[in-house]
Amino acid sequence: MDRIPILKMGPYLLVTIQVDLYDRLALTLENDLINMVSKTGARGVLIDISAVSIVDSFMGRILGNIASMSRIMDAETVVVGMQPAVAITLVELGLTLQGVYTALDVEKGMELLQTKIGIIEDPEDEDEEVPDDDTV
Amino acid sequence: MDRIPILKMGPYLLVTIQVDLYDRLALTLENDLINMVSKTGARGVLIDISAVSIVDSFMGRILGNIASMSRIMDAETVVVGMQPAVAITLVELGLTLQGVYTALDVEKGMELLQTKIGIIEDPEDEDEEVPDDDTV
């Protein structure tokens, strides 16, 4: 496979990772995603990893990179659908996906993104503190 | 890969096909999709094939099967993101995906599904004829 498809849905981009992210594919995905964020003006990126049974340090770094790059481009990233075994392995490996938001499934991820984007777009409407502590 | 992930988004199910649908994987997908339609009460199924570069008669039949099964379960199926080359090959092979709705991308597919579901849910609101001629 050459590249992972990126689906545009309203203000969000959706990526479903179904295969192992080897080096070139991961770099292509980073590149494609950032270009899509720039081209479409997307405000959120959802990455579904429900089909991924192993997340190693490389993939953890790729997810972190995508989140950081998207944030610079004014888009938030949420990783959704993580299998329980993956979460266990990640913590055992000492990888806590710093700076990456997570949610249980796509719907909850979209709700989270709506909250994030709402806070960013209308900071004067609500005087609540920005919840930085839900970064998992 | 064991199975293709099915994402629930509101009343729709989204499937992104990124790999070749060999026999067992295709049967698993059919099975999983019908179970998800039953479990979630989904009204629409979106199948994204933007990463698929070859659709042969087997895959054409699988798509047709999914559409027929979903329709029996009261859900419409839209295939989205077909590459131009795939459309050319399909017609050259004489496969016209009978009974399968198609749309250019996920957003247009969702709009199409909304129209279909709207027509089904509120048949008394509008007296227009049901457009059966946009089956591609």
Side-chain angles (χ1 to χ4, degrees):
Chain A
M1 194 171 64
D2 290 339
R3 56 185 65 235
I4 295 174
I6 301 167
L7 308 180
K8 183 172 183 298
M9 295 191 310
Y12 307 128
L13 300 178
L14 177 67
V15 181
T16 313
I17 298 177
Q18 299 178 6
V19 292
D20 287 339
L21 279 183
Y22 53 87
D23 295 25
R24 201 171 55 79
L25 191 61
L27 293 176
T28 309
L29 177 62
E30 280 183 9
N31 207 19
D32 287 355
L33 255 179
I34 302 308
N35 282 329
M36 275 289 273
V37 169
S38 162
K39 205 172 69 180
T40 63
R43 298 299 313 276
V45 177
L46 282 157
I47 303 178
D48 174 74
I49 59 167
S50 59
V52 176
S53 49
I54 298 168
V55 173
D56 57 6
S57 60
F58 175 73
M59 189 152 163
R61 200 166 65 240
I62 293 293
L63 293 176
N65 282 357
I66 290 175
S68 306
M69 292 176 189
S70 302
R71 192 163 296 137
I72 293 173
M73 305 284 286
D74 195 24
E76 292 293 338
T77 303
V78 178
V79 172
V80 301
M82 188 182 290
Q83 292 179 21
V86 171
I88 293 168
T89 315
L90 276 178
V91 172
E92 281 176 351
L93 286 172
L95 302 167
T96 49
L97 296 183
Q98 287 287 327
V100 180
Y101 295 112
T102 52
L104 198 62
D105 54 32
V106 176
E107 288 183 324
K108 292 202 172 63
M110 281 198 173
E111 282 169 22
L112 180 60
L113 277 178
Q114 265 154 12
T115 321
K116 298 287 165 204
I117 294 170
I119 284 169
I120 294 161
E121 280 181 343
D122 308 304
E124 68 281 7
D125 287 358
E126 296 174 41
D127 289 319
E128 294 167 25
E129 68 283 353
V130 180
D132 278 325
D133 52 348
D134 52 356
T135 307
V136 182
Chain B
M1 194 172 63
D2 290 338
R3 55 185 66 235
I4 295 174
I6 301 167
L7 308 180
K8 183 173 182 299
M9 294 192 310
Y12 307 127
L13 300 178
L14 176 66
V15 181
T16 313
I17 298 177
Q18 300 178 6
V19 291
D20 288 339
L21 279 183
Y22 53 88
D23 294 25
R24 202 170 55 79
L25 190 62
L27 293 176
T28 310
L29 177 63
E30 280 182 9
N31 207 18
D32 288 355
L33 255 179
I34 301 308
N35 281 329
M36 276 288 274
V37 169
S38 162
K39 205 172 70 181
T40 64
R43 298 297 313 277
V45 176
L46 282 156
I47 303 178
D48 174 74
I49 58 167
S50 58
V52 176
S53 49
I54 297 169
V55 173
D56 57 6
S57 59
F58 176 72
M59 188 152 165
R61 200 167 64 239
I62 293 294
L63 293 175
N65 282 357
I66 290 174
S68 306
M69 292 175 189
S70 303
R71 192 162 297 138
I72 294 173
M73 305 284 286
D74 194 24
E76 292 292 339
T77 303
V78 178
V79 171
V80 301
M82 188 182 289
Q83 292 179 20
V86 170
I88 293 169
T89 314
L90 276 178
V91 172
E92 282 176 352
L93 285 172
L95 302 167
T96 49
L97 295 184
Q98 286 287 328
V100 180
Y101 294 112
T102 53
L104 197 62
D105 54 33
V106 175
E107 288 183 324
K108 292 202 172 65
M110 281 198 172
E111 283 169 20
L112 179 61
L113 277 178
Q114 265 153 13
T115 321
K116 298 287 164 205
I117 294 170
I119 285 169
I120 294 162
E121 280 180 342
D122 307 306
E124 68 281 8
D125 287 358
E126 295 175 43
D127 290 320
E128 294 167 25
E129 67 283 353
V130 180
D132 278 325
D133 52 347
D134 52 355
T135 307
V136 182

